[in-house]
Amino acid sequence: MEKIKVLIADDHRVVREGLAAILRARDDLEVVGEACDGQEAVVKARELSPDVILMDVSMPRMSGVEATRAIKRESPHIGIVALTMYDEEKYIFDLVRAGATGYLLKDSDSSQIISAIRSISKGESLIHPSVASKILAEFSLLSEGKGKKQARTEHDLTEREITVLRLVADGKTNKEIANDLDLSEKTVKNHVRNIFHKLNCFISEIPHRAAGKPRQAGDTHGLDMSKELFERF
């Protein structure tokens, strides 16, 4: 069985060693390297060609967001799971724009981290429940009562995608969501992928809306990352 190659990037040695110990206890995972800052993460990603990178968001010399952007520009096939202590909208949207396709808070348990690595290595996207809640709040989609029909807004999420996002925010797994909605797990994963794409398109328009002008033809701000995401599915 071919192992999933993982690179760990975090500026705290104890965190790197702890994560490495967890991963090395799994037969299907291989820790190929560690990086103590964003610049080293970019260099080692180039040298080691990992399948997945566990990327701390806040690091010296180069942040995890900047490192993610640089790595995805060179190697869009590498999956990046952002590890953060924050679930504020600013960090979430910066990470989406940079190209991370998985988000975990640092208080996640080991099983969540292992599951995230395995999912991202297969080209899937992963949304932490608290992150899903922030996305819903940003899109103004949290209804006063469950089941209440919402008018579609400019992000253009479908009613089914909104339902999936709410269930993710409730902490349900893809399998549980599939059972609840009478769908296949593959269909649920496709919905999550589409949500990532639409979120990326939405945040790429924010600077234009703030300036009171539409996107101009040929302006690719925010679009390259959507292309990279789709290349993985």
Side-chain angles (χ1 to χ4, degrees):
M1 177 179 63
E2 188 172 354
K3 294 187 177 183
I4 301 169
K5 297 184 294 182
V6 182
L7 172 65
I8 300 171
D10 196 293
D11 59 326
H12 293 98
R13 181 177 178 180
V14 66
V15 174
R16 296 196 308 272
E17 291 179 346
L19 288 170
I22 291 171
L23 303 189
R24 288 183 177 125
R26 271 60 180 186
D27 292 337
D28 62 331
L29 304 179
E30 177 186 3
V31 178
V32 294
E34 298 179 15
C36 63
D37 59 56
Q39 287 186 7
E40 188 177 12
V42 173
V43 172
K44 290 201 171 180
R46 188 181 299 128
E47 294 176 348
L48 302 172
S49 298
D51 300 305
V52 177
I53 300 175
L54 292 180
M55 182 78 74
D56 183 23
V57 173
S58 180
M59 291 188 290
R61 293 212 295 169
M62 178 185 286
S63 72
V65 173
E66 293 172 313
T68 295
R69 185 178 297 113
I71 291 168
K72 295 295 285 187
R73 188 180 300 118
E74 291 186 13
S75 306
H77 62 282
I78 295 178
I80 298 180
V81 181
L83 293 176
T84 176
M85 295 177 62
Y86 313 101
D87 63 353
E88 289 91 345
E89 288 90 338
K90 176 185 182 301
Y91 292 97
I92 295 168
F93 297 150
D94 283 349
L95 288 165
V96 170
R97 186 180 289 113
T101 45
Y103 310 88
L104 287 176
L105 299 184
K106 283 195 172 180
D107 61 359
S108 300
D109 60 42
S110 59
S111 63
Q112 288 178 306
I113 295 173
I114 298 300
S115 177
I117 292 171
R118 289 169 177 161
S119 295
I120 297 300
S121 72
K122 293 185 235 179
E124 300 170 10
S125 297
L126 178 76
I127 304 178
H128 188 281
S130 68
V131 172
S133 296
K134 295 295 183 181
I135 295 172
L136 284 167
E138 177 67 18
F139 284 156
S140 300
L141 293 172
L142 287 172
S143 62
E144 296 178 359
K146 288 188 177 181
K148 182 177 180 181
K149 187 175 181 180
Q150 297 284 325
R152 185 177 296 184
T153 54
E154 63 185 332
H155 52 73
D156 202 34
L157 290 179
T158 66
E159 289 186 20
R160 178 64 82 187
E161 288 163 353
I162 294 169
T163 300
V164 168
L165 198 52
R166 285 199 182 105
L167 292 173
V168 172
D170 287 341
K172 296 205 171 186
T173 64
N174 286 346
K175 185 175 182 178
E176 291 171 335
I177 294 172
N179 290 336
D180 286 353
L181 301 181
D182 195 24
L183 301 171
S184 68
E185 282 192 64
K186 181 178 179 180
T187 298
V188 173
K189 292 172 183 177
N190 286 340
H191 283 314
V192 173
R193 180 195 66 179
N194 290 338
I195 291 166
F196 263 76
H197 169 63
K198 291 178 180 180
L199 175 60
N200 182 261
C201 290
F202 175 78
I203 62 175
S204 72
E205 291 291 350
I206 290 176
H208 299 275
R209 290 199 303 273
K213 61 183 180 179
R215 181 194 298 279
Q216 299 298 315
D219 184 353
T220 60
H221 176 71
L223 294 180
D224 289 342
M225 197 52 57
S226 295
K227 178 176 181 292
E228 290 172 0
L229 286 173
F230 274 112
E231 284 175 347
R232 301 184 59 213
F233 295 92

